[in-house]
Amino acid sequence: MNLKRFQGKQLLAATLIAVLTCGLITLGVSCTPPSPTPNDNEPGNTNDNEPGNTNDNEPGNTNDNEPGNTNDNEPGLVGKFVGADACLPCHSGVHDDWSQTLHAEALETLEASADAEDFCLACHTVGYGEEGGFTSREATPELVGVQCENCHGPAKDHVDNIGDASLRPPTDLGADVCGKCHTGDHHPTFEQWQESGHAAVTEIVALDLIEEGGFYTATCGVCHEGAINFSLAVKGEDVAEDLYVGSTEEDLTPITCVVCHDSHARTGNAYEPDTDRDYQLRFPQVKTPEVTSDAAVVTDVTRYNLCGQCHHSRGREWQTATRAPHHSVQSNFYFGEMAVPEGTDLLVETPTPHFHQTGVPGQCSECHMYRIEFQSDVAPAISGHLFSIDFESCARCHVSAANAETYLEDYKELIQGRLDSIAERLGDPATWEYEPTGGPEDQDSISDEIKQVRFLYHYILSDGSLGTHHPRYADAILEKAEEILDDLGL
């Protein structure tokens, strides 16, 4: 309220009191002057504030906010944080999506936990422990839950100066953004990811990106570099071919959380998720394509589940003379398919599905992302973000983790032995290998039969599981290679 207007009203009130008092005396009614207030304020102000401040705030706070809030923001907010509702007018779609996620309900989740501690509030509210951050539901209801500013940083300067592009909160694709909270014995996602192959850009690809660019940027970068993937596969935007030329490896972004997870929205892509979790996966966790041998079809990413967006064939077949099958054929091997040259017969018929197809409904994640909740300090949570096999995931079918591990070691030894035998029968690699791996410069000097055996040999190696993804298919591939060598008398 304007101070002069307030003082005028006080003067008017005092005059009315004086007139009324005199009138009562004239009528013979006994009266006494108003008792002084117990503080030093003007008549009518009985709180403990300074004169002129008649609200219920502490001295010095003359606005209409609740006690403790002396700034000019809306009630509850006293600093650099503004809350998600301040982002709503311009980012309504993202805001609406976010409001349906468990991030928006993070404080409720904490309040329902028997293990909740005050320090947990830093990861279940906005800005807890920071100036102007969350203090309580009553005082700062605008900062409840995990919101925009948890990831993008304080937004008051941006909201106050929307036209200033330099003040817009940043978009950081780094895993450490999520790692601030998804860490520790209860949520070790970040630590486990750091130990995984996704946490670093493959060295040879990194060198191609920073020294060559061009073809390598989109072709290799989309599955090896997180920022390129985010532009091409998530946002559908082109990237400059020289994006990283002249940069250093430290400038590259590995395959971070946002490559696989949508930070803002529930997607419905999780397979039978626990309770109300959605995991916010960008692509379906489970997807079963129709088996094909068409080289053009096997490269179609829309056929595959989340992992298969990168772990799929690049279309090389046995007539390809330049390189062996790309080290990404896991999805194709798992379903028992192999590209062949157009107009030619299948090298290997797809066998009946193995139990790894029929009895593992969660597909890749069931074996490679074994998860368990926090049990105790000596039995912390397992988030599954190492992406390696945890044999506890095999115990459901293989009696015990130890039994599964022994079985796998024996099986891989058997497959490797057969591969070694095939390589020995082929003879000197200089006569049959691909040129980049020591073969002859004149690839036309290699017969079609040897090229077929070579391709089958490398197809198992390129899958990386030594046949574990589909044991029946691995056996069929090896049998075909051995049959061709038998027919050649090798």
Side-chain angles (χ1 to χ4, degrees):
M1 181 181 293
N2 183 279
L3 181 59
K4 289 184 178 180
R5 188 183 301 171
F6 180 85
Q7 291 172 335
K9 289 188 176 182
Q10 290 295 311
L11 180 61
L12 176 60
T15 303
L16 291 173
I17 291 171
V19 171
L20 179 59
T21 301
C22 293
L24 290 172
I25 294 173
T26 303
L27 294 172
V29 179
S30 176
C31 64
T32 58
S35 298
T37 59
N39 59 18
D40 295 327
N41 297 345
E42 68 285 356
N45 182 354
T46 59
N47 63 14
D48 295 326
N49 298 341
E50 71 286 355
N53 183 355
T54 60
N55 63 14
D56 294 326
N57 298 342
E58 71 285 352
N61 183 352
T62 60
N63 63 15
D64 294 326
N65 299 343
E66 71 282 355
N69 184 351
T70 60
N71 67 11
D72 296 325
N73 296 342
E74 65 275 13
L77 302 180
V78 298
K80 57 187 179 180
F81 297 103
V82 295
D85 284 350
C87 308
L88 175 60
C90 295
H91 304 280
S92 59
V94 173
H95 183 281
D96 290 347
D97 287 341
W98 159 83
S99 68
Q100 302 301 311
T101 69
L102 289 183
H103 276 162
E105 302 172 13
L107 185 55
E108 287 87 341
T109 302
L110 179 64
E111 291 169 338
S113 171
D115 300 320
E117 301 284 351
D118 284 348
F119 69 80
C120 302
L121 287 168
C123 285
H124 290 260
T125 62
V126 179
Y128 177 75
E130 300 182 51
E131 182 181 355
F134 175 87
T135 55
S136 70
R137 276 189 175 277
E138 294 72 28
T140 51
E142 302 88 349
L143 304 181
V144 164
V146 174
Q147 305 183 16
C148 320
E149 291 168 293
N150 290 78
C151 303
H152 295 285
K156 185 178 188 304
D157 288 345
H158 168 57
V159 170
D160 289 346
N161 302 275
I162 293 176
D164 188 341
S166 68
L167 297 177
R168 293 173 185 171
T171 297
D172 189 342
L173 304 181
D176 51 350
V177 174
C178 307
K180 291 183 297 185
C181 289
H182 294 269
T183 186
D185 287 348
H186 285 261
H187 313 285
T189 308
F190 181 59
E191 291 92 336
Q192 292 189 9
W193 170 84
Q194 285 182 306
E195 297 179 32
S196 78
H198 284 171
V201 179
T202 304
E203 184 175 3
I204 189 171
V205 176
L207 292 175
D208 286 337
L209 293 176
I210 63 182
E211 293 180 0
E212 301 290 338
F215 163 86
Y216 298 107
T217 300
T219 304
C220 303
V222 69
C223 282
H224 287 271
E225 207 280 337
I228 295 175
N229 177 280
F230 193 77
S231 293
L232 292 173
V234 176
K235 300 179 71 176
E237 298 176 351
D238 293 332
V239 294
E241 291 188 345
D242 61 350
L243 179 65
Y244 286 114
V245 174
S247 301
T248 65
E249 290 190 39
E250 289 71 28
D251 296 321
L252 304 179
T253 301
I255 303 304
T256 61
C257 319
V258 296
V259 172
C260 299
H261 299 273
D262 188 323
S263 309
H264 298 127
R266 297 174 71 93
T267 62
N269 283 325
Y271 175 77
E272 296 184 355
D274 303 335
T275 60
D276 192 35
R277 290 176 175 171
D278 178 77
Y279 301 115
Q280 299 175 216
L281 305 177
R282 292 198 181 277
F283 301 95
Q285 182 179 353
V286 170
K287 199 167 186 179
T288 304
E290 183 178 348
V291 173
T292 181
S293 61
D294 188 329
V297 176
V298 297
T299 59
D300 178 9
V301 297
T302 63
R303 303 175 68 230
Y304 303 108
N305 66 8
L306 175 61
C307 303
Q309 297 303 301
C310 286
H311 294 272
H312 68 267
S313 170
R314 297 308 189 263
R316 295 175 191 166
E317 27 76 10
W318 68 262
Q319 285 185 351
T320 303
T322 53
R323 293 177 183 271
H326 194 272
H327 294 278
S328 60
V329 297
Q330 291 79 23
S331 292
N332 311 88
F333 200 101
Y334 179 78
F335 291 113
E337 67 179 15
M338 179 189 298
V340 297
E342 185 177 359
T344 66
D345 295 332
L346 286 173
L347 277 182
V348 181
E349 294 287 343
T350 301
T352 56
H354 183 268
F355 185 77
H356 285 172
Q357 285 73 49
T358 61
V360 185
Q363 295 182 352
C364 318
S365 59
E366 194 151 335
C367 297
H368 288 274
M369 296 194 69
Y370 175 75
R371 299 175 63 254
I372 190 169
E373 297 293 339
F374 175 85
Q375 305 296 311
S376 68
D377 290 340
V378 295
I382 298 173
S383 77
H385 281 71
L386 285 171
F387 307 109
S388 57
I389 295 293
D390 187 314
F391 288 100
E392 291 295 336
S393 67
C394 310
R396 176 172 65 88
C397 302
H398 291 276
V399 183
S400 69
N403 184 65
E405 185 171 9
T406 299
Y407 181 87
L408 181 62
E409 288 175 354
D410 291 346
Y411 174 75
K412 284 187 171 182
E413 184 178 349
L414 173 66
I415 298 300
Q416 186 62 60
R418 293 177 72 179
L419 287 171
D420 291 344
S421 175
I422 289 171
E424 185 176 351
R425 294 171 70 179
L426 283 169
D428 184 356
T431 66
W432 62 269
E433 263 288 13
Y434 295 93
E435 184 180 356
T437 49
E441 183 176 345
D442 180 12
Q443 290 284 303
D444 291 336
S445 65
I446 304 173
S447 70
D448 284 351
E449 291 80 9
I450 295 298
K451 286 180 179 178
Q452 290 172 355
V453 174
R454 174 179 71 178
F455 184 82
L456 296 171
Y457 170 84
H458 277 288
Y459 203 69
I460 291 181
L461 290 176
S462 296
D463 167 62
S465 74
L466 281 179
T468 309
H469 287 144
H470 197 325
R472 288 176 182 164
Y473 194 46
D475 187 59
I477 290 173
L478 290 168
E479 284 185 355
K480 180 64 176 179
E482 291 161 348
E483 176 188 318
I484 295 174
L485 290 172
D486 289 343
D487 290 344
L488 292 174
L490 297 176

